[in-house]
Amino acid sequence: MSEGFLLSRVLLRFEDSSDDLVGELSAAAITPDGSLWVGSDELLGVERLSQVEPFVFGNHKHFSLLDFIELPNTEDEIDIEGMDYSHGYLWVMGSHSTKRKKPKRKDPEKDVERLSEVKSEANRYLIARIPIIDGNLIKSCTLKDDPEKKRTAALLETTKEGNILVESLKSDPHIGTIISSGLPSKDNGLDIEGLAVSKNRIFLGLRGPVLRGFAIILEIEVEETKPGVLALKPIEKDGQLYRKHFIELDGLGIRELFLHDGDLIILGGPTMDLNGAMRVFRLKNIEKRTEEMIYWQESKHLEVMFDLPIKVGTDKAEGIAHFPCLGQSDSVLIVYDSPAPERRPNGNELLADVFRLKSES
């Protein structure tokens, strides 16, 4: 597989130079007004950047999600891993993962003990939508062309163990035992990192678990049952609340998703905490699929597009969004976690890449 064609680089200029922001970007979305929205897996909010000149985004504004939705904890990170825009809403998603504590290399005995500790944080079980008006997030609004209709910020119904999606997955025949065990994300446990939304239909890409080399996309549909609360609608004839799609991604997990002309563009990367291939795929006509199946690479449904350059320990591709550039309508913007030093010309600046999507043969 050949590397992708790098069209350009785009400079992102933030007001904040902290590593928790500039060094930890994990999701990206572009709204119809041209704003670039990014999220960090270390913070409790999202960031909006506006294009101030060709290939430069600035006018950074931070939005705390606490101003729009009720989170279980006002201090713990959300671990934002997915963002998308659809029909007037910015959607934000947490990883839904547990985490194992890291050894600190100071006290061998305590390091061994830390490695046995697994922690769950309620804020990570987030799937939320927030209305956007004139480039700003708002809690609720009435529509100008239909005053009887409102858009409201809302999140998927939470439970003591996470949310209603996680509860329903615990009895799943493929991944239920993994989820019930609370296996941490970096150990091939549950880790949702991809988000693509078409109105109320949502595709969730799992970084883990990966089953015998097959990555999983969960498909759900939501409806607002009371102000601020989203419920799952039955998606199968038997009343099941989700649908699974199994994707042959060369053993990779899913790092991000976005819908493009009815297809699902998939950013794949290593499941666990290691260096490895980062690859872009196209899953065709996903919005027409209404059955669970395996998508093989040799089938007409799945296209392997290109690889991203591998850099050991840096430039971990995390966010991807449709971004027409230099006359190319089929191109994508990619942002990176743990950026290499050359991606940070100044402490508060970061270079993102724009790649051309390979045209279909």
Side-chain angles (χ1 to χ4, degrees):
M1 175 55 55
S2 61
E3 288 188 359
F5 184 86
L6 181 65
L7 276 174
S8 181
R9 283 188 161 164
V10 174
L11 183 68
L12 313 183
R13 185 176 294 140
F14 298 90
E15 294 298 323
D16 185 354
S17 62
S18 73
D19 283 342
D20 281 350
L21 174 57
V22 185
E24 300 283 350
L25 294 187
S26 55
I30 294 177
T31 48
D33 66 352
S35 296
L36 171 63
W37 296 78
V38 294
S40 164
D41 55 15
E42 298 291 333
L43 301 176
L44 275 167
V46 296
E47 323 299 320
R48 188 202 67 202
L49 298 169
S50 304
Q51 193 162 3
V52 295
E53 56 185 276
F55 308 107
V56 179
F57 282 84
N59 290 336
H60 172 212
K61 184 174 180 179
H62 172 78
F63 293 85
S64 171
L65 294 185
L66 295 170
D67 294 335
F68 309 100
I69 55 176
E70 290 189 18
L71 294 173
N73 191 303
T74 60
E75 295 181 0
D76 287 345
E77 65 186 35
I78 296 172
D79 195 21
I80 294 172
E81 293 291 354
M83 297 174 68
D84 200 8
Y85 171 86
S86 180
H87 293 79
Y89 289 99
L90 182 72
W91 290 78
V92 183
M93 181 198 70
S95 66
H96 290 63
S97 66
T98 61
K99 61 181 182 180
R100 190 180 300 278
K101 287 192 173 182
K102 292 181 180 179
K104 292 187 174 181
R105 298 176 180 265
K106 293 181 179 180
D107 185 321
E109 186 174 340
K110 287 185 178 180
D111 277 348
V112 171
E113 182 180 344
R114 287 179 64 84
L115 202 56
S116 71
E117 297 176 6
V118 175
K119 185 178 181 182
S120 178
E121 295 176 347
N123 284 356
R124 290 177 171 231
Y125 299 92
L126 176 74
I127 299 176
R129 68 180 193 193
I130 304 171
I132 294 182
I133 297 292
D134 297 328
N136 291 296
L137 299 184
I138 58 173
K139 195 164 187 177
S140 66
C141 66
T142 56
L143 301 183
K144 293 180 180 179
D145 56 350
D146 189 350
E148 297 298 317
K149 290 187 178 180
K150 291 185 67 175
R151 287 188 182 142
T152 58
L155 69 160
L156 190 64
E157 182 181 346
T158 58
T159 67
K160 289 183 179 180
E161 300 296 325
N163 63 28
I164 53 176
L165 174 61
V166 171
E167 292 303 311
S168 65
L169 288 172
K170 287 182 177 179
S171 59
D172 183 80
H174 293 98
I175 60 176
T177 54
I178 294 175
I179 293 172
S180 296
S181 72
L183 192 66
S185 57
K186 298 300 187 291
D187 300 348
N188 202 38
L190 179 65
D191 190 1
I192 306 179
E193 295 207 0
L195 175 68
V197 183
S198 178
K199 203 170 183 179
N200 290 320
R201 192 176 179 187
I202 302 172
F203 299 92
L204 304 169
L206 273 58
R207 179 176 175 177
V210 168
L211 306 183
R212 289 301 297 258
F214 292 96
I216 301 170
I217 293 173
L218 298 174
E219 180 185 345
I220 60 175
E221 191 169 346
V222 299
E223 59 181 346
E224 189 169 6
T225 53
K226 55 184 178 180
V229 178
L230 301 175
L232 294 177
K233 292 179 65 176
I235 199 170
E236 297 285 8
K237 293 179 181 178
D238 61 1
Q240 185 165 289
L241 299 174
Y242 59 89
R243 180 181 295 132
K244 300 188 297 290
H245 305 276
F246 298 91
I247 322 293
E248 186 188 21
L249 300 186
D250 303 312
L252 301 175
I254 296 170
R255 293 298 185 90
E256 186 56 296
L257 305 169
F258 77 89
L259 285 163
H260 179 51
D261 293 338
D263 299 338
L264 201 56
I265 306 301
I266 303 170
L267 174 61
T271 300
M272 290 181 273
D273 194 14
L274 48 81
N275 297 293
M278 293 178 293
R279 188 164 292 158
V280 177
F281 303 80
R282 183 196 300 270
L283 182 58
K284 301 175 184 177
N285 299 317
I286 185 62
E287 293 186 84
K288 296 181 180 179
R289 308 296 174 195
T290 58
E291 69 284 341
E292 291 190 347
M293 62 181 290
I294 295 176
Y295 296 89
W296 304 88
Q297 288 186 13
E298 64 265 25
S299 75
K300 62 182 180 181
H301 305 300
L302 183 63
E303 179 186 4
V304 186
M305 305 193 75
F306 60 86
D307 280 346
L308 299 175
I310 298 175
K311 293 184 179 179
V312 177
T314 65
D315 281 359
K316 299 174 183 179
E318 290 276 349
I320 184 169
H322 181 224
F323 185 74
C325 178
L326 295 176
Q328 297 287 332
S329 61
D330 277 1
S331 53
V332 294
L333 177 77
I334 295 180
V335 299
Y336 298 85
D337 186 5
S338 304
E342 55 267 27
R343 284 197 183 276
R344 296 182 66 172
N346 290 300
N348 66 326
E349 295 179 338
L350 183 69
L351 288 167
D353 288 339
V354 182
F355 285 92
R356 185 178 64 196
L357 286 175
K358 184 183 70 174
S359 60
E360 297 183 40
S361 58

